[in-house]
Amino acid sequence: MENILLRDKVAELEGYFAAGGYRALKKALAMTPAAVIDEVKKSGLRGRGGAGFPAGLKWSFIPGDAPGPRYLVCNADEGEPGTFKDRELILKNPHALLEGMAIAGHAIGAASGYIYIRGEFAAEAVKLEKAIAAARAKGFLGRNILGTGTDFELHVHRGAGAYICGEETALLESLEGFKGQPRLKPPFPAVKGLFASPTVINNVETLAAVPAIIERGGDWYAAIGNGKSTGTKLFCVSGPVNKPGVYELPLGVTFKELLEKSCGGLQEGKRLKAVIPGGSSTPVLTAEEAWLVKLDYESLAAAGSMLGSGAVIVIDHGQCMVKLLQVLARFYHHESCGQCTPCREGCGWLEKLLNRLESGRGTKKDIDTIVSVAENMMGRTICPLADAMAMPAISFVKKFRSEFEAHAAGRCCPPDAPVKH
C-alpha cells in the first residue's frame, strides 16, 4: 500500500504543496472543531509515542468552557533506546507535522503550539524552524490562517537530552523552565497542563497522520490495519538485519514479514534469538514467540509485550542477554530523575546486581533478587520509568534464566538450541 507519512519529494514546502499538502488544513478550517475531533475518533488513530491512547478521545478531554488559553504540544523528544522514527519523519516530511498541528490546534481551540524537540536533534530543529517560516510566509501558520480568522502560532523548543522529558508532564515542566520531573496526576494536562492551562500533548507521528485522516476520511484510515489497531505505523528496526531502518507498514503486519520482506532477513550466519518489539522498555520476546506475532497493540499485548514506539530491536544468538540487560539498567539508572524512591533506588540496585553477574561475582540468589526488586518497582512511581526498567528485567530473567544462572556459576552463556521457523 502507499505510504501516508514517509513519502518522496515532500521535505520542502513546494514539494509538499504539489503533493496536496495543506488541503486538509483548508478542509478542517471549514469544519467545526467538534467535527474534526469526531473524524479523528472515527479513524481510530492512537498515540504513536508508546501509550497507544486514542488521539481523538484525548482531544475531547479539553473542557469546552475552560477560560483562558489552550495549548498544543508536540513531543519530539524521542529518547526511547531503539527509536529513531520521529527524527526521520521531521527530516523527510516536516510539513505533515505542521499541518497536523494546525488542524489539532483548530480542533481544541489552541492558538499556540510548541514542538519540544530533543536537544541532540540539531539538524532536525533547524529543519523545523525553516519549515515553520515557509508555512507562515504562505499563510498556513500564524495569524488569520488562510483568511479564516483562525490563529495558530508554532514554536520550536529544544530540550537538553533528558530521557525523562519524554514523559508528558516532565516535558511540560521543562518547557516552563523548571527541572524535568513528572507531575502528580490528577490534574491531568487536559485540565491543567502548560502554564496551568488546558493542554494536549501528542507524538510527532500521531500528529503527522492527521492531515491524511481529515483529507481522506476517518473511515478510510480505520480500514487500514488490524482491528482496533488502525492505520500505518513507523517501525524502527535495528540489530543484525540486512537492511535496518524505518519502515511504514500497516499495523498488524507480522514480525516475519517485517524482517524478511522489508529488512531483507538476518545477516549471513546470524540466527534469531530474541526480539524487543517496541523499544527498550517493552518486555522481550523469544524467537519462537516473535516469529509469527502480529505487530499491533492487541496482538503484542496478548503475546506478553507491547507495541510501544514501534522500535524493533533484533537480537541474535551471539548476544548475551545478561550483558544486554546490564546496558539497559545502566541507562535507566542514569536517566531516572530521582523523584521516586522505588525508581531511584530500584534502578541503581538492578544495575549493581547485573554488574556483579556480568563480572562473574554474582550468585544464584542475585537472580531472584533482580526479579523481586523489579516486581516491587512496578506501579509504584509517579511516571512509568520504573516500569520501563522493571518489565525488561522480569522478562529477560524469565525467558533466559539459564544465561543468568551460567553467569552466577562463573561460566559463559550456554549455547541455545537453534530456532526452527
Side-chain angles (χ1 to χ4, degrees):
M1 62 160 288
E2 64 176 311
N3 280 359
I4 297 171
L5 301 173
L6 294 181
R7 298 184 290 163
D8 294 328
K9 301 178 181 178
V10 292
E12 305 301 330
L13 178 59
E14 294 76 12
Y16 184 73
F17 192 73
Y22 290 104
R23 284 195 310 224
L25 175 59
K26 185 176 181 179
K27 180 180 178 180
L29 292 176
M31 299 165 64
T32 65
V36 174
I37 292 175
D38 285 344
E39 203 65 37
V40 175
K41 283 183 177 179
K42 191 188 300 182
S43 75
L45 175 66
R46 294 164 70 169
R48 300 301 198 232
F53 192 83
L57 184 60
K58 192 173 192 178
W59 295 4
S60 70
F61 289 159
I62 295 289
D65 57 352
R70 299 149 186 218
Y71 295 101
L72 175 67
V73 177
C74 172
N75 185 345
D77 191 64
E78 194 161 56
E80 178 78 358
T83 312
F84 43 92
K85 63 184 177 65
D86 291 341
R87 65 187 308 182
E88 190 80 355
L89 191 50
I90 289 169
L91 288 173
K92 291 187 175 179
N93 196 4
H95 287 280
L97 171 59
L98 306 190
E99 185 177 14
M101 291 192 72
I103 293 169
H106 168 61
I108 67 171
S112 296
Y114 293 86
I115 301 174
Y116 184 100
I117 190 166
R118 193 163 187 81
E120 293 91 338
F121 291 177
E124 292 80 357
V126 171
K127 185 76 172 181
L128 283 173
E129 295 279 12
K130 290 181 178 179
I132 289 170
R136 185 181 289 117
K138 293 292 185 179
F140 300 128
L141 292 174
R143 297 183 63 82
N144 192 26
I145 295 174
L146 299 176
T148 61
T150 299
D151 300 336
F152 188 70
E153 293 287 354
L154 197 50
H155 314 276
V156 176
H157 181 94
R158 302 191 191 193
Y163 174 77
I164 193 64
C165 289
E167 194 279 333
E168 61 180 21
T169 60
L171 184 156
L172 294 178
E173 285 288 297
S174 176
L175 192 51
E176 291 180 5
F178 301 109
K179 184 177 181 180
Q181 288 189 322
R183 299 173 179 174
L184 285 168
K185 293 178 282 190
F188 292 92
V191 176
K192 189 177 180 181
L194 185 64
F195 308 127
S197 299
T199 304
V200 164
I201 305 144
N202 282 133
N203 172 259
V204 171
E205 185 183 353
T206 311
L207 290 162
V210 169
I213 290 169
I214 297 301
E215 183 176 1
R216 302 173 74 166
D219 289 334
W220 164 79
Y221 192 83
I224 304 168
N226 184 42
K228 293 181 180 179
S229 298
T230 64
T232 64
K233 180 78 186 75
L234 299 183
F235 294 99
C236 320
V237 186
S238 58
V241 299
N242 285 311
K243 295 190 292 182
V246 181
Y247 297 94
E248 182 178 2
L249 296 167
L251 280 165
V253 65
T254 64
F255 169 73
K256 181 179 181 180
E257 291 174 284
L258 174 64
L259 177 65
E260 294 188 340
K261 293 184 179 179
S262 298
C263 301
L266 292 169
Q267 294 173 1
E268 186 176 355
K270 302 292 185 181
R271 288 187 297 116
L272 185 66
K273 180 177 185 177
V275 177
I276 300 175
S280 66
S281 61
T282 59
V284 69
L285 298 176
T286 64
E288 292 86 351
E289 292 171 326
W291 195 245
L292 292 177
V293 74
K294 291 182 178 180
L295 299 177
D296 60 60
Y297 296 100
E298 287 73 33
S299 299
L300 282 168
S305 190
M306 300 165 63
L307 179 66
S309 63
V312 180
I313 303 172
V314 177
I315 302 167
D316 71 271
H317 275 260
Q319 299 298 310
C320 168
M321 302 304 287
V322 179
K323 179 64 178 178
L324 292 180
L325 187 58
Q326 179 199 29
V327 171
L328 289 182
R330 184 187 307 129
F331 172 81
Y332 286 109
H333 183 204
H334 179 269
E335 294 298 332
S336 172
C337 75
Q339 184 174 195
C340 304
T341 302
C343 180
R344 181 185 66 245
E345 301 301 325
C347 289
W349 197 352
L350 290 178
E351 185 187 4
K352 289 177 183 178
L353 289 167
L354 288 160
N355 287 344
R356 281 217 304 251
L357 283 169
E358 181 60 24
S359 65
R361 297 179 291 110
T363 66
K364 197 170 182 178
K365 185 179 179 181
D366 290 336
I367 304 171
D368 294 325
T369 304
I370 288 171
V371 176
S372 176
V373 170
E375 289 176 343
N376 280 286
M377 292 166 64
M378 291 284 293
R380 290 176 170 83
T381 51
I382 293 173
C383 88
L385 193 147
D387 294 27
M389 176 68 247
M391 289 190 293
I394 293 168
S395 66
F396 271 57
V397 173
K398 177 183 177 182
K399 297 177 180 181
F400 297 95
R401 190 178 180 97
S402 61
E403 294 192 23
F404 289 83
E405 291 179 346
H407 279 72
R411 302 193 305 272
C412 296
C413 297
D416 294 308
V419 176
K420 295 180 181 180
H421 303 313

